[in-house]
Amino acid sequence: MSEKYSAFSYKAGNSLIHKMPAWGKIIFLPLMSIAIFSLPPFFSLTIFFLQIVLSFCLHFTIREQLKDLKPGLYYSILLILYSLLSSLIAGLSAGSALSEINFGMDRASIFMLIKLFCLLQTASILYRTSTSLEIREGCEKIEIFICRILHLPCKKTVSNAISLFINFIPLVYSIWNQSKKAWYARQGKRGIRMYITLLPVLFSVGMKKAYNMAKALQIKYSLVTESFF
């Protein structure tokens, strides 16, 4: 039951994507997100398959890709159940027979799922080819560049907040993965009891780690400021 990799965790490599500056990938992700939700679904479907091919070229295993797409899979199940229930209620209210009710999903929901999976795959490539340090330094470079253009003092507060938020996503998955390992090591079984027990642990440990990360950054930059003056 042990799992070597958690979702959205960095995977070492020597590809061109790995060597690409983190600030470029951080800028590319929002632009790609806007394009995914603005352009027709055919664009998202094409990009999604190209991303799958790219992921295999980067030596991402099928299991690792499914881990990163798991939030979309959960959302798909909920959306399918909601669609089935809505069709059932609407059909029974109209007096239709059970065999006459159309349980298919509407096109808008299918297109939304395609765009969601495409967005998750884009984020997966960013996180698995960039370390936490590279992402933080990339955010700092972007803020420094913007401050220079606008002739503003650069305190790196915005980049610190953004990098903490971006890096906290794989951290949450890592904490959850470690919690499940500890649960299974104690002969625990997957079920409702596991989630009731581990979700409070995930929240408390996550908050503690976030506080420690923010405190460490605050101490670091206070020491840099004191040495500078």
Side-chain angles (χ1 to χ4, degrees):
M1 298 301 293
S2 62
E3 299 177 358
K4 187 176 180 180
Y5 299 103
S6 60
F8 297 104
S9 60
Y10 173 72
K11 183 172 184 178
N14 197 32
S15 66
L16 292 175
I17 305 297
H18 282 84
K19 295 178 180 179
M20 181 180 176
W23 61 265
K25 288 182 277 190
I26 294 171
I27 294 176
F28 177 76
L29 182 60
L31 294 178
M32 177 60 74
S33 303
I34 294 173
I36 289 171
F37 284 97
S38 301
L39 297 177
F42 177 76
F43 171 80
S44 302
L45 186 60
T46 304
I47 293 297
F48 179 64
F49 282 113
L50 291 177
Q51 288 173 334
I52 293 177
V53 174
L54 177 60
S55 297
F56 282 117
C57 293
L58 295 171
H59 304 291
F60 297 169
T61 64
I62 296 177
R63 187 176 185 180
E64 290 169 351
Q65 294 185 51
L66 288 176
K67 279 180 179 294
D68 295 343
L69 296 177
K70 190 178 290 186
L73 295 175
Y74 288 150
Y75 180 78
S76 301
I77 294 173
L78 292 176
L79 192 60
I80 292 172
L81 292 176
Y82 174 78
S83 178
L84 293 176
L85 186 60
S86 299
S87 301
L88 179 62
I89 294 175
L92 294 178
S93 301
S96 303
L98 190 62
S99 58
E100 299 175 353
I101 300 176
N102 182 16
F103 290 102
M105 293 180 61
D106 59 289
R107 294 179 61 184
S109 300
I110 296 176
F111 293 158
M112 179 58 67
L113 286 177
I114 293 174
K115 294 181 179 182
L116 176 62
F117 281 116
C118 187
L119 189 62
L120 287 172
Q121 193 75 346
T122 304
S124 173
I125 294 173
L126 167 67
Y127 283 116
R128 289 198 178 273
T129 59
S130 306
T131 63
S132 300
L133 179 60
E134 290 173 343
I135 291 176
R136 193 185 73 198
E137 291 178 347
C139 292
E140 291 179 357
K141 289 181 179 179
I142 294 173
E143 184 177 6
I144 291 173
F145 178 76
I146 295 175
C147 291
R148 285 179 179 176
I149 293 178
L150 301 177
H151 302 287
L152 297 173
C154 186
K155 299 181 179 180
K156 299 181 181 180
T157 53
V158 177
S159 60
N160 287 338
I162 294 176
S163 62
L164 281 174
F165 174 77
I166 294 176
N167 288 319
F168 198 65
I169 296 175
L171 181 62
V172 168
Y173 283 99
S174 177
I175 295 172
W176 178 250
N177 191 49
Q178 293 174 5
S179 300
K180 288 199 299 182
K181 283 183 178 180
W183 176 263
Y184 293 137
R186 291 170 173 80
Q187 307 302 319
K189 297 181 179 180
R190 182 187 296 271
I192 298 178
R193 184 182 177 185
M194 182 187 78
Y195 290 97
I196 294 176
T197 305
L198 296 186
L199 283 176
V201 176
L202 174 66
F203 179 79
S204 60
V205 175
M207 291 296 292
K208 184 177 180 179
K209 283 187 175 291
Y211 174 79
N212 291 336
M213 289 172 63
K215 200 70 176 178
L217 282 175
Q218 183 180 3
I219 295 173
K220 173 187 173 182
Y221 286 107
S222 63
L223 292 175
V224 171
T225 303
E226 289 176 2
S227 62
F228 178 78
F229 288 105

